[in-house]
Amino acid sequence: MGILRLDKFIKFGWITAAITGAGATILAIFSMFSETLIDPFGIVTPWSMIDGLIYFSLAYGIYKKSRISAFLAFSINCYVHFFSQIGFIQNINFIAVFVAFIYLQAFIETVLYHYKRKKTIPSDSAT
């Protein structure tokens, strides 16, 4: 497994987080202009702009190959789409599972990236 493959999954992770952030931000903007302060689906409020900012910052962190950002993106996604809906198991859809898989891959690949990078850097004690 080369560095090029690792970069591919990391790239998928930050692109997915950026798309998620853009979607949350766009829906929050639409909800601000509606009369009832909810979107047509009834799930977004203007406070969802914070969710968009969180996902944008996580996308930047994954882009910079941060293991913490990749883990947070995966865990937030799992909490929002799986654990909060444990009683409503029929509401879990394919897209939520697919996005969780991408975030999990990004987390695994950032850990492997840092492991391989640390392994290839020579130590200073060899002098």
Side-chain angles (χ1 to χ4, degrees):
M1 179 178 351
I3 295 291
L4 199 57
R5 180 174 177 250
L6 296 178
D7 285 343
K8 181 176 76 169
F9 284 112
I10 293 169
K11 182 179 179 181
F12 288 159
W14 72 259
I15 289 173
T16 303
I19 290 171
T20 305
T25 303
I26 289 169
L27 285 176
I29 290 170
F30 283 151
S31 71
M32 284 191 275
F33 294 118
S34 71
E35 297 167 2
T36 59
L37 292 179
I38 59 171
D39 69 319
F41 306 110
I43 56 173
V44 178
T45 65
W47 290 103
S48 295
M49 186 80 70
I50 295 171
D51 294 339
L53 294 175
I54 289 171
Y55 274 106
F56 280 133
S57 62
L58 290 175
Y60 180 72
I62 295 171
Y63 174 76
K64 290 296 203 174
K65 297 174 179 67
S66 167
R67 294 165 285 201
I68 295 172
S69 294
F71 177 74
L72 286 174
F74 173 69
S75 60
I76 289 171
N77 186 60
C78 285
Y79 173 74
V80 168
H81 293 291
F82 298 126
F83 301 130
S84 67
Q85 305 221 353
I86 203 78
F88 307 104
I89 205 70
Q90 70 274 8
N91 290 340
I92 297 174
N93 57 13
F94 173 74
I95 294 174
V97 173
F98 183 68
V99 168
F101 176 75
I102 290 174
Y103 288 145
L104 178 63
Q105 282 291 82
F107 172 63
I108 291 170
E109 301 304 333
T110 53
V111 170
L112 287 175
Y113 173 82
H114 286 284
Y115 174 75
K116 285 182 179 267
R117 188 170 157 250
K118 183 178 180 182
K119 202 169 150 181
T120 59
I121 296 174
S123 65
D124 292 335
S125 63
T127 57

